[in-house]
Amino acid sequence: MLPSFDPNDTEQGLQLLEKLTCNAGAIQEKVLEEILLRNGETEYLRKFINGRSGGGGVYDKQKFKKNVKVVSYEDIKPCIDRIANGSEPSSSIISSQPITELLTSSGTSGGQPKMMPSTAEDLDRKTFFYNLLVPVMNKYIDGLDQGKAMYLLFVKPETSTPSGLMARPVLTSYYKSKNFKNRPFNRYNVYTSPDETILCPDNKQSMYCQLLCGLVQRDDVLRVGAIFASAFLRAIKFLEDHWQELCSNIRTGRVSDWIDVSSWRAAVSSILTKPNSKLADLIEYECCRSESWEGIIKKLWPRTKFIEVIITGSMAQYISTLEFYSGGLPLVSTMYASSECYFGINFKPLSSPYDVSYTLLPNMAYFEFLHVEKDCQEVIQDFHFNGVSDHTCICKEEDEEKTLETVDLVDVQIGQYYELVITTFTGLYRYRVGDILMVTGFHNKAPQFKFIQRRNVILSIDSDKTNEEDLLNAVTKSKLILEPLGFLLTEYTSFADTSTIPGHYVLFYELKTKGDRSNGEYLDPIIMEQCCFSVEESLDSVYRRCRKKDNSIGPLEIRVVKNGTFDELMDYCLSQGSSVNQYKTPRCIKSEEALNILNCRVIGKFFSKKIPFWEAFRMEKSETYLN
Ligand code: AMP
């Protein structure tokens, strides 16, 4: 299933991608056949399919689709809990291969991270995936082998489950593996960060050491990045706070004493081999040269060709801030992946961050798609009750007997929205990932998807339902007012305040002034009220109807918070189990503690002073579902 190839051989890698995408349909059939052959006798699958999954070992996709239920995490949680807690052999429950670890996702269930099963073989699948990213980048950017990559990568401490399995984030698992240590694309120590600094469990020390190594090797650096855009921006903030100390270390050739583990110190010292006052002067000059840090990345790492970070989905709101710091460098979002499975690759890494699409690799898992309307409501489908189609039934999550109709990978339609459902080699069957994707095109037979949002991330006061994409679009409109005045919106989140009648939307904004890097405290109330109104005007017609006609939603409020507030929010989320690499700012705040963090740091509150436009006849698609 996993062809071997040399990632440094661009031609060979690209040919392999052509082969995979030309044969997407056949590969998908084979993947499902292989999964059922391996795991048909597991307790989980036997519940749905009597005897051998395909009937006497013969693979039967229709039977699989008809009988095996489409599930969410809550459905499989009892199995996962047994694997995490039980003394019985995990291999009989969901997978014939032993579950070797549980990967903790950024999604939560009952306040705890969801745990996804993984097997030894799965590490090879991820490695195969990472290896395929290399020829794609090499195709578009020459000479990457002539220099280094400053990728800021982090691990999180693991925990052990009662059954003795390791529970940890997927990236921690990968970085600690021998596959990462022996990554073939790091033949000539391409990364500026020694592995010891990546594997350092203290994220502050890790960040410091990695930035120090990156600065010392600045002349070699051809690309910089982190996993998500938010992590890279956090690194820039860290640099703002620590550049004097970093320069002093470079000047003396000695790493600060608070880096307190000898192997980390030794790893840094192998790069910071001697005092270098010339380099320290240069970095100091660039950091002090202008009040504003506009273009600082290009100034500090002048040979850098691009910034590699995931910039799609909820990360899209960082695009303008990153562009501010980047000095015109392309922002490259290479891959789409999760703890459950690695999904797809961006075949056009230099495309605009707003136009990124990912091509799902057909040998990663068996992919199915639930059609959703643009507003991410599930399409009303025919549901089958004991084989009898009932055309009047609408999807109800709790309905035990339903069978959701799915579309195969090669049958999705351009322009349509789908929720991703996966069957993996590691024991997830027809599992709803919770991501909504839109088909933008095909590469050979393999569809390409734009990441739209995670399912059901919404604000709602009355019959309105605002999803993450709607919110981002509306917030983006307010940026058009703020940016010409020199304000950058660096972070935002929202909250449905129902403590008043009627309730209203509250947006928390963290602003920074372009010019002097100072706090955005001196805000003109008139301008901020305009921002509130522009957000309201950009929200959908149901929202506007509730505001204008029904009076069921009060004026939208923007609360501006102090600089650093969203770092505090992140620290809080990390303390609750999120990992640094995978952290995404929640776009809607539900927890009381998180809300307190934001509310304690409010420096200005502003309300919309006008009623947004709404006309009865302007019926938008979403209304047919929402009203
Ligand atoms: P986790 O399991 O914590 O690693 O989170 C995986 C989730 O992160 C995915 O299901 C997506 O919702 C999101 N994600 C991962 N990669 C991307 C991407 N390239 N663009 C947008 N969202 C992504």
Side-chain angles (χ1 to χ4, degrees):
M1 282 270 100
L2 290 176
S4 64
F5 75 104
D6 176 4
N8 300 302
D9 183 340
T10 303
E11 205 46 49
Q12 194 193 21
L14 294 177
Q15 272 170 15
L16 180 54
L17 281 173
E18 285 303 291
K19 217 162 133 186
L20 286 172
T21 50
C22 283
N23 299 302
I27 294 172
Q28 280 284 278
E29 299 286 324
K30 269 193 102 54
V31 164
L32 182 59
E33 187 176 351
E34 177 70 24
I35 292 173
L36 294 181
L37 200 68
R38 284 188 196 180
N39 297 334
E41 294 300 328
T42 56
E43 184 188 312
Y44 186 88
L45 275 181
R46 268 194 286 129
K47 215 172 52 189
F48 295 108
I49 308 171
N50 274 337
R52 277 206 86 82
S53 55
V58 180
Y59 155 69
D60 184 342
K61 183 165 99 179
Q62 295 319 322
K63 193 168 165 186
F64 170 78
K65 284 201 167 189
K66 182 160 172 264
N67 293 340
V68 179
K69 198 177 145 198
V70 175
V71 292
S72 298
Y73 187 77
E74 299 313 319
D75 298 298
I76 59 159
K77 191 169 179 294
C79 290
I80 302 285
D81 287 347
R82 278 170 62 203
I83 293 168
N85 299 324
S87 50
E88 58 199 315
S90 67
S91 55
S92 60
I93 301 174
I94 54 171
S95 162
S96 63
Q97 292 188 349
I99 302 298
T100 48
E101 60 185 329
L102 291 167
L103 303 175
T104 50
S105 147
S106 59
T108 54
S109 161
Q112 296 300 314
K114 293 175 183 168
M115 292 194 288
M116 302 303 166
S118 186
T119 60
E121 183 209 55
D122 203 36
L123 207 50
D124 294 333
R125 197 164 283 107
K126 288 177 182 121
T127 305
F128 171 82
F129 185 98
Y130 282 120
N131 287 348
L132 275 177
L133 299 174
V134 181
V136 176
M137 274 328 295
N138 286 340
K139 176 179 172 186
Y140 288 94
I141 300 186
D142 281 339
L144 287 177
D145 54 345
Q146 310 295 310
K148 298 209 170 217
M150 188 187 75
Y151 289 154
L152 304 167
L153 308 172
F154 303 92
V155 295
K156 190 175 187 289
E158 313 107 333
T159 52
S160 176
T161 70
S163 63
L165 288 176
M166 201 76 94
R168 54 190 176 181
V170 59
L171 293 167
T172 298
S173 156
Y174 176 64
Y175 298 149
K176 290 198 163 186
S177 72
K178 66 172 182 350
N179 297 38
F180 178 71
K181 192 173 163 45
N182 302 324
R183 55 201 183 276
F185 45 89
N186 196 30
R187 254 194 326 215
Y188 309 110
N189 280 331
V190 164
Y191 287 25
T192 54
S193 301
D195 286 358
E196 291 83 352
T197 62
I198 293 173
L199 299 177
C200 158
D202 178 328
N203 288 151
K204 188 175 174 199
Q205 296 198 45
S206 173
M207 177 77 90
Y208 187 89
C209 292
Q210 293 193 57
L211 282 173
L212 184 52
C213 292
L215 287 169
V216 171
Q217 298 170 85
R218 81 188 277 266
D219 289 334
D220 297 325
V221 171
L222 297 185
R223 47 193 157 144
V224 299
I227 300 298
F228 284 105
S230 49
F232 193 74
L233 286 173
R234 199 168 160 84
I236 295 177
K237 174 78 173 46
F238 190 93
L239 195 56
E240 279 194 64
D241 295 341
H242 293 87
W243 63 266
Q244 284 104 332
E245 187 181 345
L246 288 159
C247 285
S248 146
N249 285 188
I250 294 170
R251 194 176 298 290
T252 58
R254 193 171 185 284
V255 61
S256 294
D257 289 338
W258 62 274
I259 305 299
D260 59 7
V261 171
S262 58
S263 61
W264 308 338
R265 295 183 67 84
V268 177
S269 300
S270 71
I271 285 163
L272 179 65
T273 49
K274 55 179 188 320
N276 189 342
S277 55
K278 199 168 149 219
L279 177 62
D281 287 346
L282 229 147
I283 295 166
E284 253 168 27
Y285 170 75
E286 293 299 354
C287 292
C288 296
R289 175 142 74 119
S290 106
E291 275 291 285
S292 146
W293 264 25
E294 189 162 3
I296 192 73
I297 299 300
K298 192 83 185 128
K299 289 174 187 163
L300 290 179
W301 293 278
R303 291 180 65 207
T304 304
K305 295 173 190 242
F306 60 92
I307 301 179
E308 185 175 329
V309 282
I310 290 175
I311 199 77
T312 44
S314 61
M315 294 294 134
Q317 63 112 12
Y318 297 109
I319 293 171
S320 51
T321 311
L322 260 183
E323 283 173 343
F324 172 76
Y325 288 118
S326 77
L329 293 168
L331 304 179
V332 172
S333 201
T334 57
M335 60 184 268
Y336 165 44
S338 78
S339 312
E340 294 91 329
C341 172
Y342 281 21
F343 306 122
I345 289 180
N346 175 4
F347 281 2
K348 292 196 180 128
L350 295 182
S351 56
S352 147
Y354 299 101
D355 295 330
V356 172
S357 288
Y358 301 99
T359 306
L360 299 202
L361 296 186
N363 61 342
M364 287 289 117
Y366 179 64
F367 297 113
E368 295 175 79
F369 299 86
L370 286 169
H371 192 212
V372 294
E373 285 301 319
K374 191 184 169 300
D375 65 359
C376 299
Q377 297 293 300
E378 278 156 321
V379 168
I380 299 170
Q381 299 187 8
D382 293 347
F383 296 107
H384 301 272
F385 292 85
N386 303 321
V388 182
S389 173
D390 180 342
H391 289 258
T392 61
C393 184
I394 296 173
C395 172
K396 289 198 189 78
E397 295 262 345
E398 66 277 8
D399 196 326
E400 278 295 303
E401 296 299 316
K402 76 180 180 194
T403 308
L404 292 172
E405 293 283 339
T406 58
V407 179
D408 278 339
L409 179 72
V410 291
D411 296 329
V412 294
Q413 305 282 314
I414 293 178
Q416 296 295 309
Y417 287 64
Y418 298 94
E419 184 187 336
L420 180 60
V421 174
I422 53 170
T423 296
T424 66
F425 289 91
T426 53
L428 299 177
Y429 305 97
R430 313 198 78 202
Y431 176 85
R432 298 170 75 156
V433 174
D435 289 346
I436 308 294
L437 312 174
M438 186 192 81
V439 186
T440 54
F442 279 80
H443 184 87
N444 298 320
K445 293 280 166 36
Q448 303 183 296
F449 295 91
K450 180 173 183 189
F451 182 94
I452 300 297
Q453 64 165 81
R454 282 192 79 84
R455 183 165 53 106
N456 296 340
V457 180
I458 49 166
L459 279 172
S460 181
I461 297 283
D462 187 27
S463 54
D464 61 300
K465 284 186 174 55
T466 299
N467 65 37
E468 203 174 320
E469 190 190 15
D470 294 336
L471 190 61
L472 173 64
N473 288 340
V475 165
T476 303
K477 291 279 160 45
S478 70
K479 283 190 186 181
L480 298 179
I481 299 173
L482 292 167
E483 287 189 354
L485 301 172
F487 289 105
L488 276 177
L489 177 63
T490 56
E491 272 287 10
Y492 76 91
T493 188
S494 68
F495 158 64
D497 187 349
T498 49
S499 64
T500 54
I501 301 174
H504 70 290
Y505 285 16
V506 176
L507 304 185
F508 291 94
Y509 276 21
E510 186 171 321
L511 298 170
K512 133 185 205 110
T513 44
K514 273 186 185 169
D516 58 4
R517 286 188 279 141
S518 69
N519 210 341
E521 268 151 293
Y522 305 104
L523 296 161
D524 182 346
I526 310 259
I527 298 293
M528 291 312 297
E529 285 159 13
Q530 273 174 19
C531 287
C532 297
F533 180 66
S534 78
V535 173
E536 293 204 293
E537 282 273 72
S538 312
L539 290 169
D540 73 17
S541 72
V542 182
Y543 175 89
R544 285 179 277 116
R545 190 202 64 206
C546 291
R547 274 282 283 132
K548 182 170 178 178
K549 188 161 176 289
D550 303 347
N551 285 325
S552 56
I553 300 182
L556 182 139
E557 180 184 2
I558 291 178
R559 294 182 192 164
V560 179
V561 291
K562 276 197 266 193
N563 269 353
T565 299
F566 279 79
D567 285 338
E568 303 270 351
L569 178 67
M570 174 169 164
D571 290 341
Y572 167 75
C573 294
L574 296 184
S575 75
Q576 299 298 299
S578 303
S579 100
V580 180
N581 292 306
Q582 292 160 263
Y583 177 76
K584 295 135 206 139
T585 302
R587 294 297 162 218
C588 186
I589 299 293
K590 299 266 158 63
S591 111
E592 203 56 47
E593 294 94 310
L595 204 55
N596 276 340
I597 289 171
L598 295 166
N599 277 328
C600 288
R601 291 162 177 81
V602 170
I603 53 174
K605 293 183 175 186
F606 309 92
F607 288 89
S608 180
K609 287 277 158 57
K610 290 192 273 180
I611 302 283
F613 174 83
W614 178 78
E615 267 179 358
F617 63 85
R618 277 186 62 200
M619 184 96 150
E620 291 174 12
K621 203 169 186 184
S622 58
E623 290 200 270
T624 56
Y625 289 95
L626 294 169
N627 289 344

